[in-house]
Amino acid sequence: MKIKNKSGMILSVAGGKGGVGKSIFSVALGTKLAMDGSSVALVDLDLGAANIHTYTGIIKKTRTIADFILKKVPSLEELLLETTQPNLKIVSGADFVPGMANPAHWMKLKIMRHVKALPADYVIIDLGAGVHFNTLDFFSMSDRGIVVTAPEPGAVMNAYSFIKSALFRRLQNIFRRDPDIGPVIDAETKKTGGEDRFTIEMLTEKVRTLSPEMLPLIQ
Ligand SMILES: Nc1ncnc2c1ncn2[C@@H]1O[C@H](COP(=O)(O)OP(=O)(O)OP(=O)(O)O)[C@@H](O)[C@H]1O
Ligand SMILES: [Mg+2]
C-alpha cells in the first residue's frame, strides 16, 4: 500500500552519550512548537529504552511502536496519543519486547515511511544513546538532526564521534553500490585510530577523479 507523505519537517534528536537530556529536550522542543500553534508528533524511536510516554505524563498502558513493528496495527498514525499539551501528540516507545531493539533494515524503512505520513507540521524523533546503526539510520533519514550534549568532556567527545559516525554512515549508504567510491569508504571501516583517515576534502578529490557525476551528492 502506498502511503502519502503528510508530515512537515522531521527533526531527529540524538547525541552520543546516554543521559545528557535528549528526551527532555525532545519534549521541551515539541511543547514549545505546540504552544506556538504548530501540530507536533513526538515519536519515541529509542527502541528498548523508551521515555517519552513517562516524560509526557502518560502512565496508563497504551499501544506502542511494538504494536506497529509486530503488525498489530497497520499504521503509526493509529498509535498517536493525545497529551495534556494541545497540539502535541506522541507515539509511545515500547517497554521491553524481545527483539524490538534491532528491527531489520526493511522495517526501519517502513517506520520512516510511516513517520513521513504522520499528519503534523513537525515530527520530532527521540533517539537512543550511542552510534548503533538504527540510531544513525533514523538520524540520517530525517530532514534535520539535533545533537544534544552536556558540558563535560566525555559527553562532548561522544557527541563529536556521533556526528562523524552519522556522516560516515550516510556516505556509506549513498555510495554503497558505486564500484569506485564504495570500496574507498568501506576501506575506512578497517582502519584503526592510529592510521590516517580520509577527510571530506580527500573524499571529494577522489570523487572528482573517479566519479565526477557523484560530486553534488558529497557537496
Ligand atoms: N536541562 C536539564 N537540566 C536538568 N536536568 C535535566 C535536563 N535535561 C535532562 N535532565 C535530567 O537528566 C536525566 C536524563 O535526561 P534524559 O532522559 O532526557 O536524557 P537522555 O539523553 O534522553 O537519556 P538516554 O540516553 O537514556 O535516552 C533525567 O533525570 C532528566 O530529568
Ligand atoms: Mg532518552
Side-chain angles (χ1 to χ4, degrees), residues 21-204:
K22 300 179 290 296
S23 301
I24 290 282
F25 176 83
S26 304
V27 172
L29 177 65
T31 305
K32 170 69 178 144
L33 290 169
M35 285 168 82
D36 288 349
S38 300
S39 57
V40 181
L42 181 49
V43 183
D44 198 333
L45 287 186
D46 188 349
L47 302 174
N51 281 141
I52 293 298
H53 57 299
T54 312
Y55 290 178
T56 49
I58 294 174
I59 47 173
K60 65 176 195 294
K61 208 162 169 46
T62 64
R63 287 191 153 166
T64 70
I65 192 139
D67 291 279
F68 177 74
I69 293 178
L70 300 173
K71 300 192 184 129
K72 294 184 179 164
V73 295
S75 74
L76 269 193
E77 186 173 346
E78 282 191 33
L79 294 176
L80 282 172
L81 302 169
E82 301 277 348
T83 67
T84 50
Q85 171 61 51
N87 290 336
L88 177 67
K89 292 183 181 168
I90 73 156
V91 172
S92 177
D95 289 329
F96 177 72
V97 177
M100 256 279 305
N102 293 299
H105 192 70
W106 64 268
M107 177 50 82
K108 283 188 266 187
L109 297 177
K110 184 177 167 190
I111 291 172
M112 278 316 276
R113 277 201 307 279
H114 280 256
V115 162
K116 288 181 183 156
L118 289 174
D121 300 325
Y122 292 95
V123 177
I124 301 172
I125 301 176
D126 181 38
L127 292 169
V131 292
H132 196 286
F133 284 164
N134 280 344
T135 312
L136 297 176
D137 288 339
F138 288 133
F139 190 79
S140 153
M141 288 184 244
S142 307
D143 298 315
R144 289 279 186 279
I146 297 170
V147 175
V148 176
T149 185
E152 48 107 354
V156 173
M157 291 314 291
N158 285 9
Y160 183 46
S161 293
F162 178 84
I163 293 167
K164 288 197 288 189
S165 303
L167 176 63
F168 192 80
R169 179 80 177 156
R170 193 163 199 167
L171 290 172
Q172 235 178 352
N173 282 337
I174 290 173
F175 291 102
R176 192 178 297 281
R177 291 197 178 79
D178 186 294
D180 298 314
I181 305 300
V184 174
I185 296 173
D186 284 343
E188 285 295 304
T189 62
K190 300 186 177 71
K191 287 186 184 167
T192 56
E195 296 175 71
D196 279 347
R197 311 214 66 128
F198 75 59
T199 60
I200 289 297
E201 289 73 21
M202 281 161 61
L203 188 64
T204 307

